[in-house]
Amino acid sequence: LVSAKTGYGVEGLVSRLQRSWKCAGDVYLLGATNSGKSTLFNTLLLSDYCKSRAPDIIDRATVSPWPGTTLNLLKFPIINPTCDRIFRRQERLKEEATKTEDQLSSEEKKYLNQLKKQGYLVGRVGRTFQQQKSSAEIDFDPDTLSYSMDEDPIDAPKKLEGREEFTHNEVKDARWCFDTPGIVKEDCVLNLLTEKEVKLVLPSHAIVPRTFILKPGMVLFLAALGRIDYLEGEKPAWFSVLASNLLPVHVTTLSNADTLYEKHAGQEFLKVPMGGEERMKEFPPLVPQDIALKGIGTTEAVADIKLSSAGWVAVTAHEEEELLLRAYTPKGTALVVREPPLLPYISTIRGARIPGTPAYRTKKPPSFVENLRTTGSR
């Protein structure tokens, strides 16, 4: 598990790549659009995975919420993980792991604090093999500094700095790490959305789980992109929503659900899609799929209901409790029941119940920097 955005787990990923793949061949970052390939490419470019001069020469990958923005095969040369380099890298990692936040430079503290605001799990990505910068030399022409009383000084023409390039010997036997254009999934809800809507659906900060308790006959809406009806069951169940925190979640009764959707789809109340009646005329209708689940306990989710790329809902129910649910996603998009769930104990981190509502308060866990020594209790 890694976060290309906050650096969590990236140093471990580099170590695993160097142990298992070494420099045996080229490496390609493959996956669906908006899965974070370009962000990972940029993070690896600034790590021990690439040759030391690469960050000064290679263009960064474009990071955008709009699918298909990586149009070319960007690449950087992979460093050969020799025994000496592996040893020096491990020594650096050991030394850095003994530091506390107080021992970091003010610039690095500022950077880590920015990352902490965006995610709970943060990792520092460093470089062991840095290109030595040549000492600055003062280069001037004495003749340009001498002028007569009736002359004005003339600035020397500035030399155009040429772009750095790899030498032939640096890349003649190189193995490369490629960033590739994303694979566009045909059944993805993002294909139906405008650029403004995509920016709301794709999370830009750490997702804060939202848990709700539903009785049979209640309905949960995730914006106007997904709906889950609790049709049959003996006891209440917990539904934990993991999606962009900009997407609203609304709970209503089965008898009011259709009216709520017809009235508010395309409006600010459900937020996405946006654009009123005209937008909803071209947006496909929600289509249902029945789901039968059997609970395994009040502390462990039995399954995730994945509402295409809008997010997912983890369902937690009493042991042996049989649930009949009906989930909806827009026509032409994928609805997946994931068993076992990705985060089985997600409902247990909820806070106190909000009086008079089916919702629970959410406790934001403290940020954690994985390769720093902690001081005090978290």
Side-chain angles (χ1 to χ4, degrees):
L1 176 67
V2 305
S3 169
K5 183 167 184 176
T6 68
Y8 178 81
V10 172
E11 288 285 23
L13 173 63
V14 170
S15 295
R16 291 186 65 178
L17 283 167
Q18 290 181 335
R19 284 197 306 269
S20 61
W21 192 240
K22 296 183 173 63
C23 214
D26 295 334
V27 172
Y28 294 83
L29 301 178
L30 302 175
T33 53
N34 299 118
S35 57
K37 298 181 301 301
S38 294
T39 307
L40 180 58
F41 177 88
N42 291 341
T43 304
L44 290 175
L45 178 61
L46 299 175
S47 76
D48 282 341
Y49 196 54
C50 71
K51 286 182 178 286
S52 57
R53 286 210 312 133
D56 301 322
I57 300 174
I58 303 295
D59 290 328
R60 303 289 188 275
T62 302
V63 178
S64 167
W66 198 243
T69 47
T70 304
L71 300 178
N72 300 313
L73 279 178
L74 296 175
K75 63 180 182 178
F76 65 73
I78 300 169
I79 198 167
N80 185 12
T82 60
C83 292
D84 174 62
R85 284 174 177 154
I86 292 290
F87 175 78
R88 287 163 58 196
R89 171 176 158 76
Q90 291 304 320
E91 289 299 300
R92 176 182 69 81
L93 293 177
K94 287 178 187 175
E95 181 183 346
E96 291 192 347
T98 63
K99 292 182 180 178
T100 64
E101 203 160 329
D102 295 335
Q103 295 172 287
L104 303 179
S105 67
S106 58
E107 187 178 339
E108 191 169 10
K109 281 182 188 176
K110 182 179 178 182
Y111 179 65
L112 285 180
N113 285 332
Q114 287 176 341
L115 288 179
K116 286 179 183 179
K117 293 175 184 177
Q118 300 174 9
Y120 311 140
L121 302 174
V122 176
R124 295 161 68 228
V125 182
R127 294 174 64 197
T128 310
F129 321 107
Q130 302 228 26
Q131 179 73 12
Q132 295 296 319
K133 299 288 183 184
S134 57
S135 58
E137 295 181 4
I138 300 174
D139 185 18
F140 64 89
D141 179 359
D143 291 338
T144 64
L145 303 180
S146 56
Y147 50 92
S148 64
M149 295 292 292
D150 55 350
E151 285 181 327
D152 291 327
I154 301 172
D155 291 333
K158 292 183 178 179
K159 294 180 181 178
L160 293 175
E161 293 187 8
R163 180 184 171 88
E164 281 195 70
E165 299 287 348
F166 286 117
T167 64
H168 172 71
N169 286 336
E170 282 180 305
V171 296
K172 66 176 181 178
D173 297 319
R175 299 292 185 262
W176 299 84
C177 178
F178 291 89
D179 183 27
T180 65
I183 301 164
V184 178
K185 296 184 290 184
E186 294 181 0
D187 56 0
C188 177
V189 73
L190 298 179
N191 300 337
L192 306 174
L193 304 180
T194 65
E195 184 172 3
K196 193 173 181 181
E197 292 164 351
V198 167
K199 287 181 178 178
L200 294 175
V201 172
L202 290 179
S204 57
H205 291 71
I207 292 172
V208 178
R210 290 169 281 178
T211 297
F212 303 82
I213 186 167
L214 271 62
K215 297 177 181 178
M218 297 182 77
V219 175
L220 182 146
F221 279 97
L222 176 60
L225 301 175
R227 164 181 167 177
I228 299 176
D229 299 356
Y230 185 4
L231 299 180
E232 295 178 13
E234 295 295 325
K235 300 175 181 177
W238 293 268
F239 294 76
S240 300
V241 178
L242 290 107
S244 167
N245 301 125
L246 298 178
L247 291 183
V249 177
H250 294 287
V251 176
T252 186
T253 61
L254 200 54
S255 58
N256 292 333
D258 291 340
T259 304
L260 184 147
Y261 181 81
E262 290 168 10
K263 181 179 179 181
H264 295 289
Q267 308 297 331
E268 180 64 22
F269 186 72
L270 291 177
K271 217 166 190 100
V272 179
M274 56 181 68
E277 291 182 12
E278 290 301 314
R279 175 75 175 102
M280 295 312 297
K281 284 179 184 177
E282 64 184 30
F283 196 77
L286 298 181
V287 293
Q289 177 179 321
D290 286 358
I291 301 167
L293 299 173
K294 181 181 284 190
I296 53 178
T298 57
T299 60
E300 185 174 355
V302 58
D304 292 333
I305 300 175
K306 189 170 178 294
L307 303 169
S308 189
S309 293
W312 77 86
V313 179
V315 182
T316 305
H318 290 82
E319 188 175 359
E320 298 299 315
E321 176 75 8
E322 295 187 359
L323 310 179
L324 178 60
L325 310 175
R326 182 170 292 155
Y328 296 74
T329 51
K331 186 177 180 180
T333 64
L335 189 151
V336 177
V337 179
R338 183 165 52 202
E339 298 180 274
L342 185 62
L343 301 170
Y345 303 103
I346 193 67
S347 70
T348 61
I349 67 167
R350 63 182 184 266
R353 177 93 173 263
I354 300 174
T357 75
Y360 290 84
R361 299 189 190 280
T362 303
K363 295 178 180 176
K364 181 179 177 180
S367 295
F368 167 67
V369 183
E370 65 167 346
N371 39 7
L372 274 184
R373 186 163 57 86
T374 55
T375 54
S377 57
R378 292 202 311 275

